[in-house]
Amino acid sequence: MKQVQANANEAKNLLSVDCLVLRRGNTTVLNGVSLHINSGEIYGLLGPNGAGKSTAIAAITGLLPFTGGQIRVFGQDLIDSTQAVRRHIGVLPEDAGFYSWMTAPAYLTFYARLFDSNHSPDKIGGLLDLVGLDPSSRQLIGAFSRGMKQRLGLARALVADPRLLILDEPTNGLDPRGRRDIHDVLLHLAAEGVAILMCSHILDDIDRLCSAFGIIVKGETVASGTREDLLSKAAQGARYEIFLEAGDGKELAAVPGVTIASHEGNRVEVSLAAWHRPHETWARLLEAGWPVSEIRKYGTGLEDFYLSVTDTDINQERAA
Amino acid sequence: MNTVTPKLMILAAVVAFGLALSQTASAENVSSALRVTLAPAPDNPAHPRMGDKMKFISEMTNTGNTPINGSVAWISLVQVDKGQEQPVDLEDWSAHKADVIATLAPGESHSTAWPMRLIKNGDYRVVISAASGDANGLIASPMLAFQVAAKPVVESARVLPIALGIPFLLSFALLFRQRRSRAA
Amino acid sequence: MSPQWLIARKEAGELLLSGRGLAWLLGASLAMSAFALLLVSSTELSLLDNAQVVYDMLGIATALAALLAMVVGIDAIGGERERNTLIPLLLTPLRRNQIITGKMASIVIAWVALFVVALPYIWSVASTGQNLGAGLLVTVVLGTPVILTFGYYGMWLGAGMAQLVSAYVVGLLTLMVAASPLLLGPALRQSVIGRIFDAINPFSAAVNAYDAVVIDSMSLLSQWPGFIAAFLWLGLTFLLARSRIRHLTV
């Protein structure tokens, strides 16, 4: 088996996906997916249902052969060294199954051995403890709740001390407390230098955890970058409610870059042109003496951005 | 299972014997030179039962002055119990059903052992027939008689504990396993 | 511990300890019990040639083991895929060949378990002990490749068919056709079609060898054509299963 060789590039960039193309028959499932994840980074992969997120993950983990593009893991080409790199990748697939007749420690020990990893009872117990499962329980996995299975799936992904963690909907089926626990575990791992790629429909998870993210629509990466970059873009063109102490605010339309969407009493709903930074616009309003009492933003920045990117696509589709 | 009726078989045997006799004249020299004897092996069980093994020894001798080429000898077994008269399909009785002798020099003898396992109880006759490529004659050995006593092959004292005990044990193991799973 | 052995142990544990395997063994033992009880309860059958009885029991055990091997083979790939447990296994650093070997080893373990269950039955009906040792030997030597052939065939079906139930139906029909020599009379088997079928059927290779060794007291070595046929089938089904599992996508 090829050894994974450390080099300067690998230390920084653990996963590089460039222009990934995957066709099934005449259907193009992925058409130019690109993403790059560095050590210690949590990268969120977003997209509507059927966009190709899970397919992208299957290709990145070597489960699906791809038609074009390149995947490099730890600096090595995935095709040339699938087995070697898998030793250092932990994966939590969506709807992963478990051997229901085993106990959780036996299950993790089995997988630790398959990865030729440390399978001491202390380590297995520690992993179960980390994901919030009772290491001393003799309960069979078949009797686990969905949330417990999700936690066990995460423990299985961590069993070989991965340098790259790939998670498909990691908080599926978890209650708020469970989600928070998983968030803490992932942040802790990222702090230790583990690169994490996660798919999720829960924007709050992405918003809270990810330092970078990308959005796939119809198999194409339509947006990607660091959290700061994208949220900054998200803020532009977003909608705001402005409450005035006096007046109906119709004159706000004269302010450059501001478009009034609606107004009712002293409440005005506006949107900003893409090239206007919100805080600079609000500062100008105050300097000009507008009697502003409160400014509220609709939804989260990420949600706005996500909806705007995916809506554009849907609108284009409708127009077509 | 042979379904040919005994009467038909007897008729066929008579016809075959007649045909053999009719050929005797044309192949008189060769036929008269070939002699076949048949005897039971000395270690055969005195009172054979189903499942026992028996062996018969035949000896073909060229009593003439010229070699006999391409002789073939074969074994025939006939059940002669009243109402069950029939030739026996030797399929299950013996894998050794014929013997070919390329050349038998004048005065030379060739001995053949005919092993068989006794498959079914009954009264039997065994005979070795021989024919040669040099002629159309048929030579038969003397016919030997033997009886096979019935013996139940499967003993209920052996079968019943196994046939009832093993499913019971496995059922017990299955129930125990299910109970343990529920407890876990 | 090698990964293949780990998988084999896990699979065998799942089969024999999960209740499913025990239920299989129970079913097999009930079938053999039914035949054994039929032998003692019927006067006519109780007078059957002892070698014939042993041959029948060996044939039944082989047919049951082939069925078990095929079902386990289908479940090892198709069942795991349906239960979503195959993906985590494919995501380990193991090569697909190692996974196939591990799963096949579990089929061998299942066959050993069934053979152990069948042994008392074979002993119980073989009261004269006639050709019993040779019969057991030919079952191990020739029955094993035939049974494993059905195991690989099951894996091939399980990996290739989208619906698990379809794989079971196709597998069962194939096994019924292959095992028909146990039911067909000599006349049918001696016909031209019967002879061709016998020549290409792996199951025939085994039962014909059982017949020759147990009933006709022929030597094991004389059955070399049967060995060649059985191992050719084993090799062919292995290559088919390996090819399909190597290219298995999820």
Side-chain angles (χ1 to χ4, degrees):
Chain A
M1 186 166 286
K2 293 182 182 179
Q3 292 297 314
V4 177
Q5 294 168 350
N7 56 43
N9 185 43
E10 173 200 335
K12 185 169 182 289
N13 196 218
L14 295 192
L15 174 65
S16 275
V17 178
D18 291 301
C19 301
L20 185 64
V21 177
L22 194 150
R23 291 193 188 92
R24 274 180 174 163
N26 294 326
T27 311
T28 302
V29 186
L30 299 178
N31 189 20
V33 171
S34 298
L35 57 94
H36 300 269
I37 308 179
N38 295 329
S39 173
E41 190 174 61
I42 304 181
Y43 188 98
L45 197 56
L46 292 165
N49 290 332
K53 302 186 298 292
S54 295
T55 307
I57 284 187
I60 291 167
T61 51
L63 288 178
L64 272 181
F66 49 93
T67 323
Q70 192 183 40
I71 300 173
R72 294 185 74 79
V73 185
F74 313 131
Q76 299 198 10
D77 192 286
L78 179 72
I79 295 173
D80 296 337
S81 9
T82 309
Q83 261 68 38
V85 299
R86 270 192 187 149
R87 194 169 290 281
H88 303 281
I89 303 178
V91 185
L92 172 62
E94 191 181 10
D95 294 327
F98 300 87
Y99 301 125
S100 57
W101 54 278
M102 280 186 175
T103 62
Y107 182 74
L108 291 186
T109 304
F110 170 67
Y111 270 95
R113 283 176 155 170
L114 286 183
F115 276 90
D116 202 15
S117 177
N118 173 16
H119 57 271
S120 68
D122 281 351
K123 180 184 171 187
I124 300 298
L127 266 178
L128 288 168
D129 202 35
L130 181 71
V131 298
L133 291 172
D134 178 7
S136 60
S137 169
R138 300 297 303 159
Q139 191 178 17
L140 297 179
I141 297 171
F144 278 20
S145 67
R146 186 180 163 87
M148 288 167 82
K149 284 181 180 168
Q150 196 69 0
R151 288 165 187 263
L152 181 61
L154 182 61
R156 180 187 58 207
L158 297 175
V159 84
D161 305 313
R163 295 165 59 200
L164 172 64
L165 197 56
I166 299 176
L167 312 168
D168 199 351
E169 305 289 349
T171 55
N172 250 3
L174 293 176
D175 56 24
R177 176 83 200 181
R179 276 180 61 206
R180 180 59 61 91
D181 290 348
I182 298 297
H183 288 178
D184 291 345
V185 170
L186 297 183
L187 290 170
H188 168 74
L189 290 167
E192 289 191 340
V194 176
I196 301 172
L197 166 64
M198 65 179 280
C199 277
S200 181
H201 282 108
I202 304 170
L203 292 178
D204 187 44
D205 286 352
I206 301 284
D207 201 20
R208 181 154 188 263
L209 297 171
C210 298
S211 49
F213 55 89
I215 300 176
I216 299 181
V217 176
K218 285 188 170 177
E220 277 185 69
T221 305
V222 293
S224 73
T226 63
R227 178 190 168 83
E228 286 72 27
D229 284 350
L230 293 174
L231 287 185
S232 169
K233 282 184 191 170
Q236 299 158 17
R239 288 191 170 197
Y240 297 88
E241 285 178 303
I242 299 175
F243 293 89
L244 301 171
E245 288 170 353
D248 58 10
K250 282 180 184 172
E251 294 81 0
L252 276 171
V255 178
V258 172
T259 307
I260 295 178
S262 67
H263 59 88
E264 186 184 344
N266 59 352
R267 174 190 160 279
V268 187
E269 188 182 326
V270 301
S271 63
L272 294 187
W275 60 86
H276 279 257
R277 293 182 183 278
H279 61 278
E280 289 172 3
T281 306
W282 309 146
R284 274 202 299 273
L285 284 181
L286 292 171
E287 279 170 15
W290 280 92
V292 176
S293 62
E294 190 180 354
I295 299 175
R296 283 189 204 159
K297 188 175 181 298
Y298 276 159
T300 67
L302 178 60
E303 187 176 351
D304 283 339
F305 185 66
Y306 175 81
L307 290 174
S308 68
V309 171
T310 52
D311 278 353
T312 302
D313 184 75
I314 290 163
N315 289 338
Q316 280 173 353
E317 191 179 320
R318 280 180 186 155
Chain B
M1 187 68 70
N2 200 310
T3 54
V4 182
T5 62
K7 282 181 183 171
L8 195 61
M9 288 312 304
I10 290 165
L11 181 65
V14 169
V15 170
F17 188 64
L19 279 172
L21 279 178
S22 68
Q23 299 295 329
T24 308
S26 60
E28 195 176 352
N29 292 339
V30 173
S31 299
S32 60
L34 198 58
R35 190 161 55 87
V36 184
T37 62
L38 182 64
D43 55 350
N44 280 353
H47 304 288
R49 297 200 308 161
M50 283 170 59
D52 288 349
K53 279 182 181 169
M54 283 182 79
K55 201 186 282 179
F56 296 92
I57 312 292
S58 71
E59 192 165 85
M60 285 174 67
T61 307
N62 181 359
T63 57
N65 299 320
T66 54
I68 300 174
N69 298 311
S71 302
V72 60
W74 68 95
I75 185 169
S76 303
L77 188 66
V78 185
Q79 187 176 8
V80 292
D81 291 283
K82 196 170 182 184
Q84 292 187 50
E85 298 87 351
Q86 58 183 336
V88 175
D89 179 0
L90 286 166
E91 167 71 18
D92 297 335
W93 289 64
S94 176
H96 189 83
K97 301 181 185 78
D99 193 18
V100 176
I101 305 108
T103 304
L104 210 54
E108 190 186 358
S109 289
H110 178 85
S111 180
T112 307
W114 304 91
M116 66 172 66
R117 200 176 51 244
L118 308 178
I119 300 297
K120 194 175 168 229
N121 60 313
D123 197 0
Y124 292 94
R125 304 289 181 268
V126 62
V127 65
I128 303 298
S129 307
S132 166
D134 288 350
N136 293 327
L138 176 73
I139 301 297
S141 72
M143 192 176 274
L144 295 183
F146 65 94
Q147 284 200 320
V148 180
K151 186 188 84 171
V153 170
V154 183
E155 295 169 15
S156 54
R158 280 164 74 116
V159 169
L160 286 175
I162 300 291
L164 301 176
I166 289 184
F168 176 78
L169 281 176
L170 287 171
S171 303
F172 182 75
L174 190 62
L175 285 173
F176 177 74
R177 173 71 207 167
Q178 282 179 343
R179 185 173 272 192
R180 229 183 91 182
S181 295
R182 278 198 207 106
Chain C
M1 193 180 287
S2 73
Q4 293 96 317
W5 178 241
L6 274 170
I7 292 176
R9 222 176 60 157
K10 187 278 290 179
E11 297 276 330
E14 185 171 11
L15 182 68
L16 299 175
L17 301 178
S18 67
R20 195 161 52 97
L22 281 172
W24 262 107
L25 291 180
L26 177 62
S29 80
L30 285 172
M32 288 186 281
S33 287
F35 179 62
L37 292 172
L38 196 66
L39 289 175
V40 289
S41 60
S42 159
T43 312
E44 197 170 326
L45 288 176
S46 74
L47 293 174
L48 268 178
D49 171 39
N50 198 219
Q52 178 72 41
V53 173
V54 172
Y55 161 80
D56 285 339
M57 192 58 95
L58 291 177
I60 288 172
T62 305
L64 289 168
L67 177 64
L68 177 65
M70 198 185 63
V71 169
V72 173
I74 291 173
D75 187 74
I77 306 293
E80 284 232 36
R81 185 170 53 188
E82 199 155 283
R83 293 190 293 273
N84 289 329
T85 51
L86 187 63
I87 293 177
L89 203 56
L90 296 179
L91 288 169
T92 61
L94 303 189
R95 293 179 190 284
R96 302 254 169 129
N97 271 357
Q98 290 177 299
I99 295 174
I100 296 170
T101 308
K103 287 183 176 287
M104 183 43 73
S106 75
I107 292 177
V108 173
I109 293 170
W111 161 224
V112 170
L114 197 139
F115 190 67
V116 167
V117 170
L119 272 176
Y121 287 98
I122 297 164
W123 170 84
S124 72
V125 297
S127 55
T128 62
Q130 179 184 295
N131 292 339
L132 177 60
L136 294 176
L137 189 62
V138 73
T139 309
V140 170
V141 174
L142 224 152
T144 301
V146 171
I147 288 159
L148 300 191
T149 292
F150 282 96
Y152 280 130
Y153 176 65
M155 284 190 195
W156 181 71
L157 285 177
M161 304 197 90
Q163 297 289 324
L164 194 58
V165 69
S166 309
Y168 282 127
V169 169
V170 172
L172 201 61
L173 285 174
T174 313
L175 186 63
M176 280 169 69
V177 172
S180 61
L182 276 177
L183 310 170
L184 293 180
L188 272 175
R189 290 178 64 190
Q190 288 305 315
S191 67
V192 176
I193 293 173
R195 279 167 189 260
I196 293 171
F197 182 64
D198 254 17
I200 60 167
N201 178 10
F203 213 92
S204 294
V207 293
N208 288 344
Y210 295 178
D211 186 328
V213 171
V214 179
I215 297 178
D216 299 337
S217 302
M218 292 168 77
S219 76
L220 191 61
L221 290 176
S222 68
Q223 298 309 302
W224 62 267
F227 285 101
I228 291 175
F231 278 98
L232 278 177
W233 273 108
L234 182 64
L236 178 70
T237 47
F238 165 70
L239 291 175
L240 285 172
R242 189 180 69 165
S243 167
R244 207 169 243 189
I245 293 168
R246 268 186 174 177
H247 298 107
L248 183 69
T249 54
V250 290

